[in-house]
Amino acid sequence: MAHLIASQVAVAVPLGNDLSLKRTALKVSNLNFQDKSWALVLTFDLKASNSQLRSLRVTCMSVQQASVPKVTVSPLELEDANEPPLNIYKPKEPYTATIVSVERLVGPKAPGETCHIVIDHGGNVPYWEGQSYGVIPPGENPKKPGSPHNVRLYSIASTRYGDNFDGKTASLCVRRAVYYDSEIGKEDPSKQGVCSNFLCNSKPGDKIKITGPSGKIMLLPEDDPNATHIMIATGTGVAPFRGYLRRMFMELVPKFKFGGLAWLFLGVANTDSLLYDDEFTKYLKDYPDNFRYDKALSREQKNRSRGKMYVQDKIEEYSDEIFKLLDNGAHIYFCGLKGMMPGIQDTLKKVAEQRGENWEEKLSQLKKNKQWHVEVY
């Protein structure tokens, strides 16, 4: 019964350290924010030994504002700067922020675990959509005894106002990095991603050292509010696009009233691996003329050749339309693992040749026009 509730009711996690993810009980309460009524709040134990509880899929805060057209944000002074903030805090002098919440994003059939992590920076580390934070995990760098770990960069998955719309938090979308040993047929606990596991294991109130913000490549161009934005992501690469879409469709931002087209292509393994799907599905319902959403589920869908459906196959499926949009000035963004780009480039080159175009020349022109945005890791 609890699983049924979790799959149908959006989950909100309010600020404050009194909510501990160590609880194994289900808490149901009401939340008022900006004088608006929000849906139920459900919190689950992400570290409980109960396997059924751990398998619950948690939906991030803010999806449940279905009765509210758009959410008021503050402080609006965050709109005043003409240039994005850059490297306010550096590795030698990082900012100590606080973990607000850690939520499992994926269902039980997803390969691996991906978490949504909200960090309270108190408004001291402002950022723009599309930027990244650096995270310095605790402990000593094994390659440099006595020195801290190197900085790990994570794309920010929220707007500049954060999940609580007050400009004091930032959200990260983090997949737990583990090593699967094929010889023993299970994970090797001695080989884990240092920073991703630190983040996914964190609990409310824990301290975290952050640097940045950094990055200008993935900033959302806002000079034309009616522009077309084609967003292509694999897995956690959807992080910056979640920020874009919240700014376009969820927040009431006086200086940015989006009237263009946002088209998201998201590639993951299966339905349980979809990230922020409830948010995106809501935009599709509320803004059908301004948002399109296509999923490539490699373990559940087949492409035209009856092979696995990857994000490049979806691009090829809509290639004529995509090329026409690019010819008319659309911006195209790619974010995810490096391995996504060769297949996508091959697909785009093949389509260009079928259209009688030279892909290298077209790509050069897209870059020159600042329509081409890539951030892979």
Side-chain angles (χ1 to χ4, degrees):
M1 183 64 180
H3 189 277
L4 179 62
I5 293 173
S7 67
Q8 294 180 346
V9 182
V11 174
V13 179
L15 281 171
N17 297 335
D18 58 319
L19 277 182
S20 173
L21 293 179
K22 287 186 176 180
R23 297 177 185 171
T24 57
L26 175 68
K27 178 177 180 180
V28 182
S29 59
N30 293 320
L31 173 65
N32 290 313
F33 186 76
Q34 297 287 359
D35 297 323
K36 297 180 178 67
S37 179
W38 291 62
L40 299 175
V41 179
L42 307 178
T43 58
F44 301 101
D45 180 7
L46 297 183
K47 296 181 181 177
S49 58
N50 186 312
S51 59
Q52 184 178 4
L53 187 60
R54 280 184 59 84
S55 71
L56 288 175
R57 183 168 186 162
V58 180
T59 304
C60 294
M61 180 176 184
S62 307
V63 184
Q64 66 275 27
Q65 45 123 45
S67 62
V68 184
K70 285 198 175 183
V71 178
T72 302
V73 294
S74 66
L76 291 179
E77 288 78 11
L78 291 175
E79 304 291 326
D80 293 344
N82 294 321
E83 293 292 328
L86 287 170
N87 301 313
I88 300 172
Y89 288 90
K90 298 177 172 58
K92 289 187 178 180
E93 295 182 348
Y95 180 80
T96 301
T98 304
I99 298 289
V100 175
S101 62
V102 179
E103 306 167 16
R104 180 184 169 98
L105 280 177
V106 296
K109 295 181 182 179
E113 181 179 31
T114 301
C115 295
H116 180 79
I117 297 155
V118 179
I119 299 167
D120 183 358
H121 59 79
N124 297 306
V125 196
Y127 56 89
W128 283 9
E129 298 73 25
Q131 289 192 299
S132 299
Y133 269 171
V135 176
I136 303 175
E140 188 176 279
N141 189 333
K143 295 182 179 179
K144 297 179 181 178
S147 300
H149 283 287
N150 294 332
V151 173
R152 272 73 163 181
L153 289 178
Y154 291 92
S155 296
I156 298 172
S158 51
T159 73
R160 66 194 70 184
Y161 298 102
D163 280 19
N164 293 300
F165 313 110
D166 60 2
K168 294 182 180 180
T169 69
S171 300
L172 304 181
C173 180
V174 180
R175 175 163 176 164
R176 185 189 296 274
V178 295
Y179 174 76
Y180 184 83
D181 191 328
S182 58
E183 291 185 5
I184 62 175
K186 59 181 181 180
E187 292 176 7
D188 183 348
S190 67
K191 299 178 181 178
Q192 296 181 332
V194 173
C195 198
S196 65
N197 281 273
F198 157 67
L199 289 168
C200 291
N201 290 335
S202 296
K203 60 185 185 298
D206 284 354
K207 300 302 178 183
I208 175 175
K209 293 182 178 180
I210 58 175
T211 67
S214 62
K216 297 177 76 172
I217 294 172
M218 296 292 285
L219 293 177
L220 178 65
E222 298 187 1
D223 51 325
D224 179 7
N226 298 316
T228 294
H229 303 271
I230 303 167
M231 298 161 279
I232 299 162
T234 57
T236 58
V238 77
F241 306 142
R242 179 187 186 249
Y244 295 176
L245 295 170
R246 286 170 74 90
R247 186 163 173 82
M248 291 170 178
F249 301 126
M250 183 179 285
E251 298 178 344
L252 183 61
V253 182
K255 290 188 177 182
F256 182 60
K257 296 180 179 180
F258 183 68
L261 172 66
W263 191 353
L264 174 64
F265 291 87
L266 176 58
V268 293
N270 54 24
T271 301
D272 268 21
S273 302
L274 288 168
L275 305 173
Y276 310 111
D277 186 60
D278 287 346
E279 289 189 25
F280 303 151
T281 301
K282 180 178 173 352
Y283 303 148
L284 198 60
K285 177 183 176 182
D286 293 349
Y287 301 93
D289 296 330
N290 303 98
F291 182 54
R292 294 176 66 173
Y293 178 31
D294 283 278
K295 312 166 193 176
L297 308 177
S298 61
R299 298 188 185 182
E300 295 180 3
Q301 298 173 330
K302 300 292 184 183
N303 59 23
R304 290 176 178 176
S305 303
R306 306 306 299 164
K308 290 184 177 182
M309 175 71 79
Y310 293 108
V311 72
Q312 60 263 32
D313 299 310
K314 279 291 180 183
I315 295 170
E316 185 174 10
E317 188 176 324
Y318 294 100
S319 57
D320 283 342
E321 196 171 354
I322 290 172
F323 270 65
K324 287 175 183 176
L325 290 170
L326 291 173
D327 290 342
N328 289 325
H331 290 271
I332 190 165
Y333 310 80
F334 305 88
C335 191
L337 296 174
K338 284 182 181 179
M340 71 184 278
M341 289 310 295
I344 290 173
Q345 289 271 28
D346 290 344
T347 297
L348 293 172
K349 183 178 181 179
K350 180 173 71 173
V351 171
E353 290 173 350
Q354 291 171 351
R355 294 167 57 90
E357 299 181 63
N358 183 297
W359 173 242
E360 281 71 24
E361 291 178 3
K362 190 175 191 70
L363 177 59
S364 178
Q365 192 62 45
L366 290 171
K367 290 179 178 179
K368 184 178 179 181
N369 296 342
K370 297 182 179 180
Q371 294 172 250
W372 183 265
H373 312 263
V374 178
E375 185 170 86
V376 292
Y377 40 83

